[in-house]
Amino acid sequence: ELDDASSLALGRSLDACAKPDDPYFNQLTRILATRAMQQARYFSSGAAPPSEYVHYGLACPIYTHFTSPIRRYSDQMVHRLLAAIIGWEPLSSDVLDARAMTDLTDNLNHRHTMAQYAGRASVGLHTLIFFRGKEVVEDAHVIKVRDNGVVVLVPRYG
């Protein structure tokens, strides 16, 4: 039974969700559990209530994410705001425009989603290319049934 009362409880439940005779059962369970979770989204702190600042997976009540500012524009935005907060750089007036910031974060979210779709499509294309003309019989776990086919996890191929 999965306990989703907290991220820690869910993690423990997922750790315990294993079959000794099937090493991929736990991986499959984790895939299904995390795919059902709400995707992380960029937003301007003034455009959402503080209850939205939480990171469920990390059990953090207030969370922001950024990496090197050379990678993504969203990271540059966070670095600029943090630099302004610590007095390293002046605060740009355009970050005070709530509508502009909402439009910007909506665009970032859309582009992030499209990049994920492109990545999945690329994996699908290369999988088709790899298996073209081959007949393969393997054990698989059905993850999803669709009108036009099924989505499976084939342990041998990841």
Side-chain angles (χ1 to χ4, degrees):
E1 189 170 318
L2 288 179
D3 181 358
D4 65 350
S6 70
S7 59
L8 181 61
L10 179 60
R12 286 182 177 156
S13 292
L14 289 172
D15 287 342
C17 192
K19 289 184 171 181
D21 60 326
D22 188 351
Y24 288 94
F25 182 79
N26 185 267
Q27 181 182 359
L28 178 63
T29 304
R30 287 180 181 282
I31 289 170
L32 293 173
T34 56
R35 287 228 175 131
M37 291 180 181
Q38 185 177 7
Q39 186 101 32
R41 309 220 13 108
Y42 295 111
F43 61 89
S44 180
S45 59
S51 61
E52 296 290 318
Y53 301 179
V54 66
H55 189 294
Y56 180 81
L58 297 177
C60 294
I62 298 175
Y63 178 81
T64 189
H65 172 81
F66 59 93
T67 59
S68 168
I70 63 170
R71 291 191 56 216
R72 299 181 300 195
Y73 187 69
S74 55
D75 299 320
Q76 286 186 355
M77 290 174 54
V78 173
H79 276 260
R80 288 175 184 162
L81 290 170
L82 290 173
I85 289 168
I86 64 172
W88 195 359
E89 292 180 9
L91 185 64
S92 172
S93 61
D94 35 329
V95 299
L96 300 176
D97 182 343
R99 183 71 225 151
M101 287 293 99
T102 297
D103 290 345
L104 185 61
T105 55
D106 287 349
N107 185 32
L108 290 169
N109 289 323
H110 175 72
R111 290 180 182 277
H112 177 74
T113 300
M114 293 300 105
Q116 285 185 321
Y117 290 163
R120 290 178 192 159
S122 176
V123 168
L125 173 65
H126 288 90
T127 301
L128 288 172
I129 291 169
F130 177 79
F131 285 108
R132 179 182 284 156
K134 295 179 183 176
E135 189 172 309
V136 178
V137 177
E138 291 288 341
D139 289 333
H141 299 274
V142 176
I143 296 175
K144 183 186 266 187
V145 177
R146 295 184 174 171
D147 291 339
N148 63 345
V150 294
V151 177
V152 296
L153 171 67
V154 182
R156 181 169 178 209
Y157 298 107

